[in-house]
Amino acid sequence: MAEPSFSLRTPDDDNQPRRICDNCGFVAYENPKIVVGSVVRHEGAILLCRRAIEPRRGFWTIPAGYLELNETPEEGARREAREEAEAELAISRLLAVYSVPRISQVQLIYRAGLKQPGFAAGPESLEVKLFRFEEIPWNELAFPSVHWALGHDAEAEAGAPPAPFANPAGETGSHMPDGGRVAPGDA
Amino acid sequence: MAEPSFSLRTPDDDNQPRRICDNCGFVAYENPKIVVGSVVRHEGAILLCRRAIEPRRGFWTIPAGYLELNETPEEGARREAREEAEAELAISRLLAVYSVPRISQVQLIYRAGLKQPGFAAGPESLEVKLFRFEEIPWNELAFPSVHWALGHDAEAEAGAPPAPFANPAGETGSHMPDGGRVAPGDA
């Protein structure tokens, strides 16, 4: 079997270059991807998962991942919590819409609670734990948007109006809040 | 050159079937798509475009289209208004997040005004016009979500809190509000 071989060319009916297969002409349209996730609160604490996979293996994140075909964002957010934390969520509302244009991501982050008590590390997690806000391992968070979401969730908890939050002013998700660089491909 | 030929198979490191090229093994991951658009108000009237392309050629829509790689949603919404209505937008806020799971779309709809006066039909529009709310051609709107967005924008104009609206209860974008069916592939 031949290896995949793509060249960047502009299809006849288009106005920008796309990846086109040299062998069969298949146009691999690449689109931005939608990440869906949740800040999950249970008895005043927040559920975090320690990643068992790259990127950012060993770092803590909220349950989140790519939306699949034919899913609503809420369904996707519940599925990710099931996969990563074996948790059944009750979603209350959309917390934030973030965009990370460098890696062509739009993230929809929800506020949620546990529908039934109980959670455990799924195959993509090393461990899953509840943290009180003051115990959150801020220096071991996986992605800038996890940092943003936890901060915005605290603002929402304190009574901020129900608009969705967006990227902090001037932030594009390329750096952690302490200035640390995020590896290409990370969110 | 061979024709594209894909089979549905589950890659080794995955848990669902994907389209895989029979010739070279390329995995064509298909992801939900992000539509970005705007309800544009100018001097109390709303800007609509009559579609010059299928689907729903001849029907009226708000300026909207697919988010491109490395764009923020706001940049994409402004680009679409430029392409379809030759209009420069000033976006004020996120109005609504809709999902149309049947066609794997998530739509981010913004509220906007004209940054400078003037607009014209771009190549994808037959005409572009300002409508007072009571003049909107409700029976000639292109997609259910255009109907939702215009209604939600009116609610926002009347002072509804700045949460983003979502799909009307029970609606998945498969029918126009009058019960009319939307052709597969339409949003």
Side-chain angles (χ1 to χ4, degrees), chain B residues 33-136:
Chain B
K33 291 201 179 72
I34 303 167
V35 168
V36 288
S38 310
V39 179
V40 184
R41 280 186 180 258
H42 182 64
E43 295 178 352
I46 290 161
L47 184 97
L48 295 179
C49 309
R50 202 152 73 85
R51 290 173 64 85
I53 53 173
E54 295 296 348
R56 305 285 281 174
R57 187 176 196 277
F59 288 79
W60 293 91
T61 187
I62 59 174
Y66 291 121
L67 185 65
E68 291 278 2
L69 291 180
N70 301 120
E71 268 184 338
T72 68
E74 292 86 347
E75 287 167 355
R78 284 194 296 265
R79 175 183 49 72
E80 289 292 341
R82 229 173 276 129
E83 289 176 5
E84 297 179 359
E86 299 187 7
E88 283 297 328
L89 300 192
I91 288 177
S92 58
R93 71 167 178 88
L94 181 61
L95 173 68
V97 176
Y98 301 131
S99 98
V100 188
R102 181 179 52 88
I103 50 171
S104 299
Q105 275 188 6
V106 170
Q107 304 188 356
L108 301 179
I109 309 297
Y110 292 85
R111 302 197 78 196
L114 290 179
K115 201 169 171 180
Q116 48 214 39
F119 53 83
E124 295 178 10
S125 302
L126 296 170
E127 55 180 319
V128 176
K129 241 175 93 171
L130 286 169
F131 290 90
R132 309 220 146 260
F133 193 78
E134 55 279 11
E135 300 167 345
I136 289 173

Side-chain angles (χ1 to χ4, degrees), chain A:
Chain A
M1 191 154 78
E3 288 292 296
S5 167
F6 285 86
S7 308
L8 215 55
R9 283 179 283 143
T10 301
D12 292 342
D13 58 351
D14 205 336
N15 56 17
Q16 3 194 338
R18 310 287 177 181
R19 290 171 64 222
I20 301 182
C21 179
D22 297 328
N23 298 315
C24 70
F26 174 76
V27 183
Y29 282 96
E30 287 178 276
N31 297 296
K33 290 201 179 73
I34 304 167
V35 168
V36 288
S38 310
V39 179
V40 184
R41 279 186 181 258
H42 182 66
E43 296 178 351
I46 290 161
L47 185 96
L48 295 179
C49 308
R50 202 152 73 87
R51 291 173 64 84
I53 53 173
E54 295 295 347
R56 305 287 279 174
R57 187 174 195 277
F59 288 78
W60 293 91
T61 186
I62 58 174
Y66 290 121
L67 186 65
E68 291 279 1
L69 292 179
N70 300 120
E71 267 183 338
T72 68
E74 291 87 347
E75 287 167 355
R78 284 193 296 265
R79 175 183 49 73
E80 289 292 343
R82 229 174 276 130
E83 291 176 5
E84 298 180 358
E86 300 186 6
E88 283 298 327
L89 299 192
I91 288 176
S92 57
R93 70 167 179 87
L94 181 62
L95 172 68
V97 177
Y98 302 130
S99 95
V100 188
R102 181 179 53 87
I103 50 171
S104 298
Q105 276 188 6
V106 171
Q107 305 188 355
L108 302 179
I109 309 297
Y110 293 85
R111 300 196 80 196
L114 291 178
K115 203 168 170 179
Q116 48 213 40
F119 54 84
E124 296 178 9
S125 303
L126 296 171
E127 53 179 321
V128 176
K129 239 174 95 172
L130 287 168
F131 290 89
R132 309 221 144 259
F133 193 78
E134 56 277 13
E135 299 167 343
I136 289 173
W138 295 101
N139 292 323
E140 296 164 45
L141 297 182
F143 307 114
S145 56
V146 175
H147 205 111
W148 305 343
L150 294 174
H152 287 148
D153 183 72
E155 287 187 52
E157 191 72 6
F165 289 92
N167 292 28
E171 290 294 318
T172 57
S174 291
H175 296 87
M176 296 301 285
D178 65 0
R181 196 165 165 281
V182 182
D186 292 7

Side-chain angles (χ1 to χ4, degrees), chain B residues 161-179:
Chain B
F165 289 92
N167 293 26
E171 289 294 319
T172 58
S174 292
H175 296 88
M176 296 300 285
D178 66 0

